[in-house]
């Protein structure tokens, strides 16, 4: 009888473990609308897979990260992202890479990666970085980074990097998704298409409506 109880307990434990470890796969794009007619389906959660026997070295390779990005823009920064669209072999591996170049006093503005944690290391220059925790605390966690320093931005949290030096800066980031996604806060809120009703933004940010209209007129063209 004791043996029977042991087997039942073992079976329940095994079942509980299976249920605890089961979950839907994480989304690899913003959304994936279900359809009944597969003939009209054009997207999967990720990418379709090539026959492994047909894989070649070029599927896992890219060059050019030694070339600085063009920072001649309003923000003075350039992100060069190497994701599954650039290296097909990254599909299903849950990782991507980025080079970030900063002009003197250049900014990678507040943004979030909805599908990835980011780990950043500084190669050149001095960066002032930080992220803000979720509600209700909204703690600002910040650090000044020098060459060789490493900093982590947890998944989904708003973060930034700012070159506080008078020379160029370079950093490399690893991201825990083949398609981390990026939402730049200012562009998303004030530069969406179509634009968000200004009354919503006036109420949310406690801004004068004229200021909201000015922000939308300046940021909306950046998305088009």
């Amino acid at each position: 009888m004791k043996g029977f109880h042991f087997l039942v307990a073992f079976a329940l434990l095994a079942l509980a473990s299976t249920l605890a470890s089961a979950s839907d796969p994480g989304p690899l794009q913003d959304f994936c609308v279900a359809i009944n007619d597969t003939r009209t389906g054009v997207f999967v959660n990720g990418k379709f897979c090539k026959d492994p026997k047909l894989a070649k070295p070029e599927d896992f390779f890219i060059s050019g990260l030694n070339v600085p990005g063009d920072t001649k823009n309003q923000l003075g920064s350039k992100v060069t992202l190497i994701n599954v669209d650039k290296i097909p072999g990254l599909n299903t591996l849950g990782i991507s890479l980025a080079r970030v170049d900063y002009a003197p006093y250049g900014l990678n503005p507040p943004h979030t990666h909805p599908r990835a944690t980011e780990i950043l290391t500084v190669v050149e220059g001095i960066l002032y970085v930080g992220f803000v925790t979720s509600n209700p605390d909204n703690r600002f966690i910040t650090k000044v980074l020098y060459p060789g320093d490493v900093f982590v931005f947890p998944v989904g949290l708003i973060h930034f990097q700012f070159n506080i030096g008078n020379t160029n800066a370079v950093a490399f980031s690893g991201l825990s998704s083949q398609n981390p996604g990026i939402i730049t806060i200012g562009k998303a809120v004030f530069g969406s298409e179509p634009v968000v009703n200004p009354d919503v933004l006036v109420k949310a940010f406690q801004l004068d409506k004229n200021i909201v209209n000015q922000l939308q007129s300046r940021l909306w063209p950046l998305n088009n």
Side-chain angles (χ1 to χ4, degrees):
M1 196 66 176
K2 289 183 178 179
F4 173 75
H5 288 163
F6 172 79
L7 289 175
V8 171
F10 180 80
L12 291 174
L13 179 61
L15 177 60
S17 298
T18 301
L19 293 174
S21 62
S23 63
D24 289 333
L28 296 173
Q29 60 268 329
D30 287 342
F31 48 80
C32 184
V33 179
I35 57 171
N36 294 320
D37 185 356
T38 57
R39 291 174 298 177
T40 63
V42 294
F43 289 107
V44 295
N45 189 27
K47 303 281 187 179
F48 289 104
C49 297
K50 177 189 287 189
D51 184 339
K53 295 178 181 178
L54 301 178
K56 51 189 179 180
E58 289 74 18
D59 294 328
F60 304 91
F61 170 81
I62 196 170
S63 62
L65 275 190
N66 60 313
V67 179
D70 185 4
T71 59
K72 295 177 182 178
N73 53 61
Q74 290 179 318
L75 296 171
S77 68
K78 174 64 176 179
V79 177
T80 304
L81 177 63
I82 306 300
N83 62 6
V84 68
D85 293 326
K86 300 291 182 64
I87 302 181
L90 287 175
N91 194 33
T92 75
L93 298 184
I95 192 171
S96 55
L97 176 70
R99 170 179 174 142
V100 191
D101 289 275
Y102 313 82
Y105 308 106
L107 172 69
N108 189 10
H111 63 279
T112 177
H113 302 293
R115 295 179 287 274
T117 290
E118 176 180 355
I119 182 167
L120 176 141
T121 183
V122 178
V123 178
E124 298 177 17
I126 304 173
L127 296 181
Y128 168 56
V129 307
F131 65 85
V132 179
T133 65
S134 57
N135 298 353
D137 294 339
N138 299 127
R139 291 183 58 213
F140 179 42
I141 296 177
T142 182
K143 188 77 174 174
V144 174
L145 305 182
Y146 299 87
D149 289 348
V150 177
F151 198 81
V152 174
F153 304 106
V155 60
L157 298 186
I158 297 172
H159 59 283
F160 68 89
Q161 303 104 37
F162 181 47
N163 180 7
I164 58 175
N166 56 10
T167 61
N168 292 334
V170 180
F172 285 87
S173 289
L175 299 116
S176 62
S177 172
Q178 69 184 47
N179 183 24
I182 183 169
I183 301 171
T184 305
I185 307 306
K187 287 176 65 176
V189 174
F190 295 99
S192 65
E193 183 184 359
V195 296
V196 177
N197 186 319
D199 292 334
V200 174
L201 302 180
V202 167
K203 187 81 169 180
F205 293 97
Q206 297 295 294
L207 293 173
D208 183 88
K209 193 167 186 176
N210 290 328
I211 295 176
V212 169
N213 290 332
Q214 289 174 18
L215 288 170
Q216 288 184 320
S217 65
R218 290 187 62 186
L219 289 173
W220 186 83
L222 295 179
N223 286 345
N224 296 274

